[in-house]
Amino acid sequence: MKILKFGGKSLAQPQGFETVLSIIEKQYKSNSPFHVVVSAFGDTTNQLENLLEQAVKRENHKSALALIKEQHYTHSPSDISAELKLIDNLLEGISLLGDYSLKHKDLLLAQGEIIAAKTITHHLSQKGLPVHFVDARLLLKTDQNFGQAQPLDPESRQNILAYFEENLNGKIGIITGFIGSTSTGETTTLGRNGSNYSASLFASYLYASELQSYTHVNGIYTANPDWVHNAQKIEDLSYEEANEMAHLGASILHAKTIIPLLNKQIPLRILNTFNPEDVGTLISADSKSTGIRALSVLEKTSLIQLVGKGLLGKVGIDARIFETLAQHQISVNVIAQGASERGIAFVVHATDTQQAIKALRLEFKKEIETQDISEIFPLENVSVLSIIGQDLSTFNRSYNALINNQIVPLLISNTVTGRQISLVLHHHQLQKALNIIHGEIFGINKKINLFIFGVGTVGSVLIQQLLQTRVTLEEKKKVSVRIVGISNSKQLLFDPNGIGDDWENNLNNSDLHSSPESVFELTDHYHLENLIAVDLTASAAFTETYPQWIRNGFDLVAANKIANTQSFEFYQKLRRELKKHHKEFLYETNVGAGLPLIDTIQLLHQSGENITRIRGVFSGTLSYLFNEFSEGTSSLSSVLEMAISNGFTEPDPREDLNGNDVARKLLILARELDLANEMTDIRIQNLIPEKLQSGSVTHFLERLEELNPLYSQIKAKQDANHVLRYVGDLHGDLSQQEGAQLDVELISVPKASALGQLQGSDSIFEIYTESYGSRPIVIQGAGAGAKVTARGVFGDILRLVNRK
């Protein structure tokens, strides 16, 4: 014989109600004996509680009551008039008195289950099933703890066995969950979600072969699927694991449900009313699965803290704490104690907070007066996240992932068995923490959330690259790199589930204003984790906001080189913020576009290699200009005009020719070697004659030929087989600040040298080190262009992904 239990969500809508009837019909046709335990329809219990509070305040409760009546009459023409009249009378009496007892509250709430059971009994009877309405109050006897009644085991068992033998031979019992009665017949309830407990008790007393609990989901999941969209269904659990999950907040399981089943070794199967073909989750003694099983969450809690330096060496403080709480029927969930009892913290339900503080202050009044206890205080709005099956030896990855996302647990507790860890967190961090830890533990695609700022050529290409490779990354790296935000200078496009191919049109039509504050509000609201801000702008103002992004949990990737070339004071401040908040800032494309230059220099420097010089052609534009000019017969102005027409230069070519861009790149490399240089320390040769340095762009372009005499003369004065190269050169004694020299200049080099053999718009970098001597490490390749720069930014993003 089986017990089938149907929850309120299964019965909430007419469709659900009809589905429940069909499941019961199908079970009946299988010729396998069973009985049914039911909860109240939908949200009826909460609605009745709200009516109670309205009545006690003498507010108008009649319209809300009429709505409840209407909802229940749509389910059935069965005679529930007595129950509805009793609800009317109770509320009228409470409204007159302006008060109520827990006894009256239990009697009111019980009507929800009675109406549901009567309605189902009527409908099944109409279908020809041999059903029998069972009012559990006649059978399930409890103590007088109204609202949280405990069953009286021997009496209840005897009543149930006798009643079922006498009245239900060959019939299906439709049993009211949640309710019982005292030995004098006064109605009691078994606490919230008590229908599960009722079903467990009836299964135990009747020696059922299985308890099947029908809900609105396919079983128990590795996390709440409403919060973690890729949570996985658990096929089986042991009684012990299920019991831990129930005590630690799993909403589908009642904390007391497992014990009666465990004592009789009765399996519990969690099934979906709306997907009855799914096998659900089986809880039994035969579970063979091991390892980390699930994450449970306990909300609406407070952390009570008792602190006192004067407690050092005193025995029995903790015993007094828990005896006091027990006397006030306050349950404690997570406990942590400091060395020598100087401090203790524990979690209680939020509704018990003030009572717990008051009781403890009274109990320790003497110690407070003598200042042995300095404080007893609550930290409210906290939640508990528990990892079932986790031990401390493998918790480091999850912990580091939390820290990287700016989440620091208030308290960490490990069980004696070492197979469960509980974290106490600020409630607003709970959903984000749940997704982070779930991704770390269960190896499901980790979510990386990108905000891209700047949608020029590089930005557009990067977005295209990311969208084209997202499926490959999910399949090969098990990581979901999602663009959740795209911003131009004014507008912000946002989608917490990821932005798609039509981003450009959607951005233009977006009414969201782009600002750091608006982004932070969105990431907090949607609990987004693993955040990366990608700066593809050329904005100095945006780089000044970098510390804000870091403090709000973002790692940074930038093609924008301004942050690394501002004052050394800002440069150091930025690094301090990164270190303080455990964030990273990657900027490989600042100097060599997609070339692995900065990464190589960092690796050499951090490994202790003494870098003695860095020299190279840093500008793709100037590389093209002087490669063509040196090798061909065309004038410099003609080559420059060709570069302009091909889009190789800035709109104002003087931005390339003045040498400042090369100087900024050289400064970045100097700072990578821990040199505290400023832009003013760099000797820069401006390629533009002084008379052409001012004036409009048009005026300059009209006078390009004035460049030719100077540069034709420079070219002609070279030694044989030499070519011109515009280089950045970091040299001198780089082991000390005063010895470093930074030069940006046009030089003549042998055509057969590494610099001399450069072609097209490639960049080249020579890294001289003590170990390599006169033979430098040479890094050469495309040093400019939207595609290679975007690919370099993509590479930085992937580096961050791999480190998370």
Side-chain angles (χ1 to χ4, degrees), residues 327-344:
Q327 289 170 6
H328 291 80
Q329 297 184 330
I330 297 173
S331 177
V332 174
N333 291 299
V334 179
I335 305 165
Q337 189 166 353
S340 304
E341 301 193 34
R342 294 178 65 178
I344 188 166

Side-chain angles (χ1 to χ4, degrees), residues 68-319:
I68 291 178
K69 289 179 179 180
E70 180 182 344
Q71 290 170 342
H72 283 83
Y73 273 126
T74 59
H75 278 299
S76 174
S78 59
D79 187 10
I80 54 173
S81 57
E83 286 71 31
L84 293 172
K85 184 176 181 181
L86 178 58
I87 293 172
D88 266 327
N89 292 339
L90 280 169
L91 292 174
E92 285 296 332
I94 289 166
S95 182
L96 287 171
L97 291 172
D99 197 8
Y100 65 87
S101 66
L102 290 177
K103 184 191 302 185
H104 290 129
K105 181 178 180 179
D106 274 3
L107 181 57
L108 178 69
L109 298 185
Q111 305 312 307
E113 270 68 21
I114 295 169
I115 290 172
K118 280 192 169 184
T119 303
I120 290 172
T121 302
H122 172 81
H123 276 267
L124 292 172
S125 178
Q126 293 293 104
K127 291 176 177 290
L129 274 66
V131 288
H132 181 87
F133 167 71
V134 179
D135 187 341
R137 295 177 297 179
L138 302 174
L139 311 175
L140 194 59
K141 294 300 173 181
T142 71
D143 60 18
Q144 295 183 340
N145 185 20
F146 296 98
Q148 289 287 343
Q150 292 297 315
L152 302 175
D153 205 57
E155 186 178 352
S156 297
R157 180 187 293 106
Q158 184 178 346
N159 288 345
I160 290 170
L161 288 172
Y163 184 89
F164 273 69
E165 184 176 353
E166 181 178 346
N167 297 286
L168 279 97
N169 189 20
K171 293 183 178 180
I172 305 165
I174 308 297
I175 308 162
T176 56
F178 183 52
I179 63 176
S181 70
T182 66
S183 56
T184 58
E186 294 172 311
T187 298
T188 58
T189 63
L190 305 182
R192 275 311 182 109
N193 300 311
S195 289
N196 289 312
Y197 190 28
S198 295
S200 178
L201 290 168
F202 272 90
S204 174
Y205 295 149
L206 293 170
Y207 299 93
S209 61
E210 185 173 281
L211 169 58
Q212 296 182 348
S213 181
Y214 283 84
T215 68
H216 64 297
V217 292
N218 285 341
I220 298 174
Y221 283 74
T222 49
N224 184 343
D226 292 335
W227 282 9
V228 181
H229 78 275
N230 53 6
Q232 299 171 322
K233 192 186 76 174
I234 302 171
E235 298 298 330
D236 61 274
L237 286 168
S238 68
Y239 290 121
E240 291 77 10
E241 290 166 339
N243 196 37
E244 286 180 349
M245 291 181 66
H247 278 284
L248 294 167
S251 58
I252 292 177
L253 297 170
H254 190 282
K256 295 176 285 189
T257 300
I258 304 300
I259 302 302
L261 303 175
L262 174 61
N263 291 337
K264 296 282 182 65
Q265 298 286 284
I266 299 170
L268 167 61
R269 191 178 294 275
I270 309 297
L271 296 162
N272 188 348
T273 301
F274 306 99
N275 185 19
E277 302 306 316
D278 192 279
V279 296
T281 298
L282 180 65
I283 299 168
S284 70
D286 299 325
S287 175
K288 299 297 189 298
S289 300
T290 58
I292 301 172
R293 308 309 311 279
L295 309 181
S296 283
V297 165
L298 201 60
E299 299 181 82
K300 299 180 180 177
T301 61
S302 295
L303 181 66
I304 307 295
Q305 301 176 74
L306 185 146
V307 181
K309 295 181 180 179
L311 298 178
L312 182 62
K314 289 193 176 183
V315 178
I317 295 297
D318 52 352

Side-chain angles (χ1 to χ4, degrees), residues 486-497:
I486 298 175
S487 173
N488 55 30
S489 59
K490 296 180 180 179
Q491 294 163 289
L492 171 67
L493 174 64
F494 176 76
D495 186 337
N497 298 312

Side-chain angles (χ1 to χ4, degrees), residues 717-764:
K717 286 184 176 181
Q718 293 184 101
D719 292 339
N721 296 315
H722 275 56
V723 290
L724 296 173
R725 297 291 182 259
Y726 192 72
V727 300
D729 194 357
L730 173 62
H731 59 110
D733 185 358
L734 304 187
S735 64
Q736 54 182 344
Q737 179 65 41
E738 294 78 10
Q741 296 180 47
L742 291 85
D743 298 320
V744 175
E745 59 186 340
L746 183 66
I747 64 173
S748 177
V749 298
K751 189 174 180 180
S753 67
L755 292 179
Q757 295 181 52
L758 198 63
Q759 295 182 352
S761 60
D762 280 4
S763 293
I764 187 170

Side-chain angles (χ1 to χ4, degrees), residues 520-789:
F520 303 152
E521 287 177 10
L522 290 167
T523 57
D524 286 345
H525 179 76
Y526 287 96
H527 309 284
L528 298 181
E529 74 271 26
N530 298 323
L531 299 164
I532 300 175
V534 182
D535 180 9
L536 304 176
T537 72
S539 168
F542 189 78
T543 64
E544 290 171 3
T545 68
Y546 280 10
Q548 289 179 257
W549 296 92
I550 294 165
R551 288 192 291 271
N552 281 275
F554 282 79
D555 290 293
L556 301 174
V557 170
N560 182 352
K561 60 180 72 73
I562 294 175
N564 285 324
T565 57
Q566 289 199 52
S567 71
F568 191 68
E569 180 184 356
F570 176 82
Y571 184 90
Q572 288 182 307
K573 174 187 175 183
L574 188 59
R575 269 69 189 170
R576 287 194 298 269
E577 289 288 344
L578 291 164
K579 184 177 181 181
K580 178 180 178 181
H581 296 284
H582 307 279
K583 296 285 102 183
E584 293 195 68
F585 173 31
L586 300 186
Y587 41 89
E588 184 64 74
T589 57
N590 273 196
V591 179
L595 298 176
L597 175 65
I598 291 176
D599 193 49
T600 302
I601 291 172
Q602 287 176 341
L603 184 62
L604 289 168
H605 185 58
Q606 291 166 10
S607 67
E609 181 66 56
N610 183 21
I611 296 176
T612 58
R613 186 180 190 181
I614 301 175
R615 185 177 73 152
V617 175
F618 287 36
S619 167
T621 299
L622 297 180
S623 176
Y624 172 82
L625 184 66
F626 286 103
N627 288 343
E628 293 294 319
F629 177 61
S630 295
E631 293 290 335
T633 58
S634 299
S635 65
L636 184 71
S637 63
S638 298
V639 177
L640 182 55
E641 286 174 343
M642 188 179 299
I644 294 170
S645 65
N646 288 333
F648 291 166
T649 69
E650 295 293 332
D652 185 347
R654 288 173 295 187
E655 293 295 319
D656 298 294
L657 297 170
N658 63 19
N660 288 337
D661 184 60
V662 174
R664 281 191 287 266
K665 293 177 180 180
L666 191 64
L667 178 63
I668 291 169
L669 298 187
R671 289 177 172 179
E672 288 301 319
L673 302 184
D674 299 322
L675 298 171
N677 292 99
E678 302 283 5
M679 278 289 288
T680 53
D681 298 327
I682 306 174
R683 187 178 65 84
I684 306 172
Q685 179 184 351
N686 192 331
L687 296 173
I688 310 166
E690 187 174 349
K691 61 182 179 180
L692 297 179
Q693 290 177 9
S694 59
S696 67
V697 177
T698 303
H699 181 67
F700 172 70
L701 294 177
E702 289 173 348
R703 301 175 63 185
L704 288 182
E705 290 187 359
E706 295 181 30
L707 297 171
N708 293 334
L710 172 64
Y711 287 98
S712 294
Q713 185 179 18
I714 293 172
K715 180 179 178 180
K717 286 184 176 181
Q718 293 184 101
D719 292 339
N721 296 315
H722 275 56
V723 290
L724 296 173
R725 297 291 182 259
Y726 192 72
V727 300
D729 194 357
L730 173 62
H731 59 110
D733 185 358
L734 304 187
S735 64
Q736 54 182 344
Q737 179 65 41
E738 294 78 10
Q741 296 180 47
L742 291 85
D743 298 320
V744 175
E745 59 186 340
L746 183 66
I747 64 173
S748 177
V749 298
K751 189 174 180 180
S753 67
L755 292 179
Q757 295 181 52
L758 198 63
Q759 295 182 352
S761 60
D762 280 4
S763 293
I764 187 170
F765 304 92
E766 297 177 331
I767 306 169
Y768 293 83
T769 75
E770 197 170 80
S771 297
Y772 285 82
S774 61
R775 296 177 63 83
I777 299 169
V778 177
I779 298 174
Q780 178 179 342
K787 288 186 178 180
V788 293
T789 302

